[in-house]
Amino acid sequence: MPAPASPTAAAPGVRASRTTSTHCPYCSLQCGMAVTAGDRPATLVPLDFPTNRGGLCSKGWSSAELLDHPERLTRPLVRAVAGDRTSPLVESTWEEALDRLVAAIERTQATHGRDAVGCFGGGSLTNEQAYQFGKFARVALRTSAIDYNGRFCMSSAAGAATRAFGLDRGLPFPLSDIADADVVVLVGSNPADTMPPAMQWFDAGRERGARHVVVDPRRTATARNADLHLQPLPGTDLALANGLLHIAVAEGLVDERYVAARTTGFDEVRAGVAAYWPDRVERLTGVPVADQRRTVFALARAGNAMILTARGAEQHRSGTDTAQAWINLALALGLPGRRGSGWGTITGQGNGQGGREHGQKADQLPGYRSLADPAARAHVAAVWGVDPDDLPVPGRSAYELLDALGTDGGVRTLLVLASNVAVSAPDARRVVSRLRDLDFLAVSDFFLSETAELADVVLPSAMWAEEAGTTTNLEGRVIRRRRALDPPDGVPDDLQLLATLAGRLGVHGFSGDPETVFEELRRASAGGTADYAGISYRRIDEERGVFWPCPSPGHPGTPRLFTERFATPDGRARFLRVEHVEAHERPDADYPLVLTTGRVLAQYQSGTQTRRTRSLQLVAPGPRAELHPDLAARLGIAQDDVVELATRRGRARFHAQVTDAIRPDVVFVPFHWAGANDLTDAGDLDPTSRMPPFKACAVAVTRVTGPEERVAPPPAATQPRPVPHRPATAPVPRPPSRTRPSGSLTRRTPVKSTPRFLQGVFPITGEGLAKPGPIDPALRYTVPAGCSAQALYFRGGNATGELVYVLLVRDGEPVRWFPIGARADTHVPLRVVEDVVGGSVLELHAAAPEGVTGEIVVDLGLVEV
């Protein structure tokens, strides 16, 4: 890349122009580009950066069009009548707009408590902005109510990678490694449309003979170029992965040496996939047995192979387990940790990786630290200069936060940065109704998005070429976004906005300078999983980006992870047995088809920017519902007809796109326009990631009329009412246990607690030490809602002549094994790390050698708080 900025001589009286090396504002490739600015409009050309090597897609080429768009917001907007959102939005001064926002924050917290003010961020914020937003919530507002739109994107893959490898970095290797893979399996990913410059690495692999397999219910641009296209029913990718591993086990293709040396837990997974024989998997998924076998043998016999998953596989009620199933397959074949091989997930948003590392998530602190970890709280609190006890506890995840807006115990004043939830959230009409229930809504954006249209105050923001900071691309490479031109007069970027708001709230320690904030981020992340301590602006400039983790200035960064060990305490990757579950909504007589959503080439995310770009609108002017010709013929639908899609949540209309590139039982719509997410499901969130099931719900299709230039919305009277508020399905986390230094004089309010015991003498019949099972229904305890519990000790006795194990199980997951010798006893004090939250289920199971009978004595002591 050229120097960051190079002024160009200008004639007298003409403003000098300068060319600045920076990066595209859109997807996670973060392609390099040079922006030339002086007299507006700015122009740009691609740069030879490692991810794009001189390539740009249509979105990148057109990104400068928006910098001077006539709809660009340059002054704050407020309601003409304060508090009346039926009155029009009118231009105002910054003083008045910020006064209204600060007054709402103070009024809400005084009346309803600190957690009644919330924050909602986005994956397009720079690292510095995401970091400062998390700090602003927890230090300036002292609220637990913060999350971001990445919860709707990367969270399932992140959850799976963290529990399998101990670390989540989308690609644990450079993007260029794709060219070195002899076989690539892409699951639910369409990079040819979503990030076209990345395809040069796939093309380079194919040129030397690599084979590519695409798993997608649609024959996308990526699938058309693949050697093999598998078209499973949406929501069955987990069953397919388990089926492929079944074949690998049956055919002796498992890398047993790798499994023994570098992993744990495979025996249970091996037993689990025994139930996924090829014929059964074909019935579940629709993928022929022959294609299953071709895929497994290609992966197993390749010199280098990789499996890449994306949102198509992950945006489901079991998205985390689905990603885990593909990780299990990769581990069984010995792929992770070898050059040109492994498992990875393709990040979507521009800073989707960095945006999830530094504190926007409800349960997270900078450096990918857990907010529930007392040591993490202490470290970050020291950087921020606050008492760890003053940091709030983890809050609700994104959808749960939005679904509780305006309720007792929910957020009543909300600040939104870089997100358009009125379009992007599932069951969007329901979310819009929740936004209207707020006492006060403030939105920072550079256009009047659908969410901003609902706000009390709209704050204009600088755009990508007008701000500075860092982002982290899909490879984990930390790069510089450099300011190429000045924003409109008086318009700040979000970093400056947060510093100003904190000052108005009387809280100091917030800077509007990105490098100052980055230096603080380095200290806050030091020692964490996503360790940026050794990264500086100077190093990024000199090295064209630095891969995290980079714990010290002398560290080279880590382009490839897991080459020697995984980021788990014992250095081994974790297999985890996972099972296929049906979609939350299955087709029936009323809704006989499956609806799935995704992206198209010429639009991006909720379309706030790309739908205003003239050149992109010419390519993709509106949403189209893709229908198979057989389905269209059965319903009497022709190309370009207006069709109405109906789900249990709403109705929306689209032009029909009749194509044999989709399964006959599936309908596809892009989510860049309002309407698509009016239909999607949010009724059953992933238990680990809290991801809504965007990618599969039941739908009915009817023809409305022939082709029309504009599609009129369905009559309001035909729309079902949004589901009323209901209590969050997720347990509300309790504060982590804390200790104070001896001699502390701080007074403590007594906490009411109740002892609970799971105890008794019970018969036992062994089925094998590898087959534990419940001992007795009496040894099952559900923590009451609104309470938490702590396990204090376990005592046990064994009357049999053989070693037995008692297993403490939490929500179906093993927590602790207690071995009890033959005719012996044991007493184990349990040190509490964090509370067992309300709604959790604790059970005692036992395992004994096959055929052993006798009695055991168990006594688990708990305290309920």
Side-chain angles (χ1 to χ4, degrees):
M1 294 174 72
S6 55
T8 302
V14 177
R15 177 187 291 182
S17 65
R18 63 176 183 177
T19 298
T20 305
S21 298
T22 187
H23 295 272
C24 177
Y26 291 118
C27 81
S28 62
L29 277 184
Q30 291 292 278
C31 296
M33 59 170 57
V35 177
T36 299
D39 290 330
R40 289 184 182 246
T43 60
L44 61 85
V45 294
L47 292 177
D48 185 18
F49 192 70
T51 51
N52 64 304
R53 297 196 300 182
L56 278 183
C57 73
S58 57
K59 294 185 288 290
W61 275 112
S62 64
S63 55
E65 289 183 30
L66 297 173
L67 296 171
D68 295 299
H69 194 280
E71 295 180 26
R72 175 82 188 273
L73 298 177
T74 58
R75 295 187 63 187
L77 304 177
V78 301
R79 292 293 168 181
V81 179
D84 179 4
R85 269 182 257 166
T86 64
S87 65
L89 285 166
V90 297
E91 288 192 349
S92 177
T93 64
W94 276 97
E95 190 74 17
E96 181 183 8
L98 294 179
D99 281 349
R100 289 196 188 189
L101 174 53
V102 170
I105 291 171
E106 293 175 341
R107 181 173 62 249
T108 299
Q109 291 193 323
T111 305
H112 301 286
R114 294 190 180 278
D115 287 350
V117 175
C119 300
F120 200 93
S124 62
L125 295 175
T126 65
N127 289 322
E128 292 81 357
Q129 292 163 351
Y131 167 85
Q132 186 132 293
F133 204 20
K135 178 183 175 183
F136 176 81
R138 286 149 183 142
V139 175
L141 299 178
R142 293 182 62 185
T143 180
S144 67
I146 179 172
D147 214 283
Y148 83 125
N149 62 17
R151 181 78 69 170
F152 300 153
C153 183
M154 293 298 305
S155 57
S156 291
T162 299
R163 70 187 187 188
F165 304 134
L167 180 152
D168 157 45
R169 200 180 82 188
L171 293 184
F173 42 75
L175 185 67
S176 58
D177 275 17
I178 291 172
D180 296 329
D182 301 310
V183 172
V184 179
V185 175
L186 280 161
V187 188
S189 177
N190 180 21
D193 279 352
T194 59
M195 47 180 64
M199 292 308 294
Q200 60 190 301
W201 303 108
F202 293 91
D203 295 341
R206 278 198 301 270
E207 287 173 4
R208 62 175 193 79
R211 301 178 62 192
H212 294 165
V213 179
V214 172
V215 181
D216 198 304
R218 301 168 63 222
R219 189 171 69 252
T220 62
T222 306
R224 285 196 296 271
N225 292 319
D227 291 85
L228 180 62
H229 177 208
L230 313 183
Q231 283 188 279
L233 184 71
T236 63
D237 296 301
L238 191 158
L240 178 59
N242 276 359
L244 299 182
L245 183 50
H246 174 103
I247 295 171
V249 171
E251 297 291 343
L253 302 175
V254 173
D255 188 337
E256 300 286 358
R257 292 180 61 184
Y258 178 97
V259 168
R262 302 207 60 190
T263 73
T264 62
F266 182 57
D267 287 345
E268 187 174 358
V269 170
R270 189 197 304 265
V273 299
Y276 293 83
W277 56 91
D279 289 338
R280 181 193 176 211
V281 171
E282 179 172 347
R283 289 195 299 273
L284 287 171
T285 67
V287 176
V289 171
D291 288 347
Q292 296 176 43
R293 294 181 62 82
R294 287 176 63 191
T295 302
V296 174
F297 278 95
L299 281 169
R301 292 171 175 173
N304 295 313
M306 59 178 60
I307 298 171
L308 304 176
T309 64
R311 305 304 81 73
E314 299 157 7
Q315 287 180 317
H316 296 277
R317 65 185 294 203
S318 58
T320 304
D321 284 354
T322 300
Q324 179 74 52
W326 291 98
I327 290 172
N328 287 344
L329 178 61
L331 288 171
L333 299 178
L335 306 182
R338 293 197 284 120
R339 186 181 182 121
S341 294
W343 172 89
T345 186
I346 299 178
T347 302
Q349 294 193 76
N351 197 30
Q353 180 69 57
R356 67 182 186 266
E357 295 170 357
H358 296 300
Q360 284 192 96
K361 288 177 69 176
D363 55 354
Q364 185 196 80
L365 289 170
Y368 236 135
R369 286 184 160 91
S370 169
L371 188 56
D373 179 0
R377 294 167 67 90
H379 173 87
V380 175
V383 175
W384 288 348
V386 299
D387 188 320
D389 288 354
D390 289 339
L391 295 178
V393 299
R396 292 183 173 104
S397 69
Y399 189 79
E400 292 158 315
L401 185 157
L402 294 173
D403 197 37
L405 295 178
T407 63
D408 292 338
V411 167
R412 305 185 76 94
T413 289
L414 181 68
L415 172 60
V416 178
L417 304 185
S419 190
N420 186 14
V421 293
V423 172
S424 63
D427 199 354
R429 289 177 58 252
R430 177 169 159 185
V431 169
V432 168
S433 74
R434 305 301 194 250
L435 291 169
R436 290 183 172 134
D437 289 341
L438 285 166
D439 296 341
F440 194 92
L441 172 63
V443 176
S444 171
D445 211 327
F446 24 78
F447 293 112
L448 193 65
S449 69
E450 287 82 353
T451 304
E453 288 177 350
L454 305 172
D456 294 90
V457 168
V458 182
L459 304 172
S461 175
M463 293 187 71
W464 62 279
E466 302 161 350
E467 64 183 11
T470 62
T471 62
T472 306
N473 75 355
L474 78 169
E475 316 162 290
R477 186 196 303 259
V478 184
I479 58 180
R480 286 278 305 278
R481 177 177 293 176
R482 299 179 182 86
R483 180 167 167 166
L485 67 162
D486 296 332
D489 289 344
V491 174
D493 63 36
D494 287 323
L495 194 69
Q496 295 162 337
L497 171 64
L498 292 170
T500 300
L501 278 175
R504 281 177 168 259
L505 292 167
V507 180
H508 304 290
F510 288 80
S511 173
D513 175 64
E515 189 165 8
T516 299
V517 174
F518 188 79
E519 290 300 308
E520 183 178 299
L521 182 158
R522 292 174 63 188
R523 299 195 303 276
S525 73
T529 301
D531 193 335
Y532 283 32
I535 305 175
S536 65
Y537 277 23
R538 179 188 59 79
R539 281 195 65 182
I540 294 172
D541 290 344
E542 292 175 352
E543 301 173 30
R544 308 181 84 192
V546 181
F547 290 86
W548 71 263
C550 183
S552 66
H555 191 280
T558 315
R560 291 181 184 82
L561 296 168
F562 316 140
T563 56
E564 302 296 330
R565 56 176 286 127
F566 293 95
T568 55
D570 61 3
R572 291 171 173 262
R574 305 283 190 258
F575 280 97
L576 186 71
R577 179 172 174 171
V578 290
E579 304 290 350
H580 167 70
V581 295
E582 295 285 351
H584 179 236
E585 284 189 354
R586 284 175 285 182
D588 57 20
D590 294 325
Y591 303 97
L593 304 166
V594 175
L595 174 68
T596 194
T597 65
R599 301 174 181 175
V600 296
L601 173 63
Q603 298 291 343
Y604 180 73
Q605 299 299 90
S606 71
T608 302
Q609 298 175 77
T610 51
R611 283 188 279 116
R612 289 176 168 86
T613 303
R614 184 174 181 274
S615 59
L616 298 178
Q617 277 294 89
L618 293 172
V619 178
R624 304 177 74 85
E626 293 186 6
L627 311 171
H628 191 275
D630 293 348
L631 174 62
R634 192 166 74 245
L635 299 176
I637 296 169
Q639 179 73 15
D640 294 327
D641 280 357
V642 176
V643 296
E644 184 170 283
L645 273 55
T647 70
R648 293 177 175 87
R649 287 152 298 281
R651 298 171 180 270
R653 292 180 178 177
F654 306 87
H655 283 118
Q657 175 75 36
V658 180
T659 172
D660 65 359
I662 192 166
R663 290 174 53 117
D665 52 357
V666 174
V667 180
F668 169 85
V669 293
F671 57 62
H672 312 292
W673 290 266
N677 278 318
D678 291 351
L679 308 175
T680 51
D681 186 18
D684 191 15
L685 306 182
D686 183 293
T688 300
S689 66
R690 313 310 293 165
M691 169 74 80
F694 284 95
K695 293 299 186 193
C697 67
V699 66
V701 182
T702 56
R703 181 182 184 275
V704 176
T705 185
E708 291 186 355
E709 185 175 354
R710 293 182 179 275
V711 177
T718 68
Q719 293 283 14
R721 294 179 62 84
V723 175
H725 285 290
R726 62 187 182 190
T729 57
V732 177
R734 306 285 293 183
S737 59
R738 306 184 182 100
T739 58
R740 284 191 174 269
S742 59
S744 170
L745 299 179
T746 302
R747 293 187 177 184
R748 289 285 190 184
T749 302
V751 176
K752 183 179 179 179
S753 62
T754 304
R756 302 290 183 196
F757 304 95
L758 303 183
Q759 56 187 205
V761 181
F762 301 93
I764 183 175
T765 300
E767 296 183 4
L769 291 176
K771 296 181 178 180
I775 301 171
D776 190 277
L779 300 179
R780 177 185 174 97
Y781 163 68
T782 301
V783 183
C787 297
S788 65
Q790 299 170 356
L792 303 180
Y793 68 84
F794 172 81
R795 294 189 181 97
N798 172 18
T800 78
E802 299 286 344
L803 172 74
V804 301
Y805 287 92
V806 174
L807 174 62
L808 176 60
V809 175
R810 174 181 176 179
D811 294 332
E813 297 291 336
V815 175
R816 182 75 181 265
W817 289 87
F818 304 102
I820 312 175
R823 298 185 176 85
D825 60 9
T826 187
H827 176 203
V828 183
L830 300 175
R831 296 184 177 273
V832 178
V833 177
E834 61 179 290
D835 296 344
V836 180
V837 298
S840 298
V841 178
L842 296 178
E843 297 176 280
L844 290 175
H845 293 195
E850 187 172 358
V852 169
T853 60
E855 293 181 331
I856 57 173
V857 182
V858 294
D859 178 11
L860 178 69
L862 308 118
V863 61
E864 184 181 289
V865 180

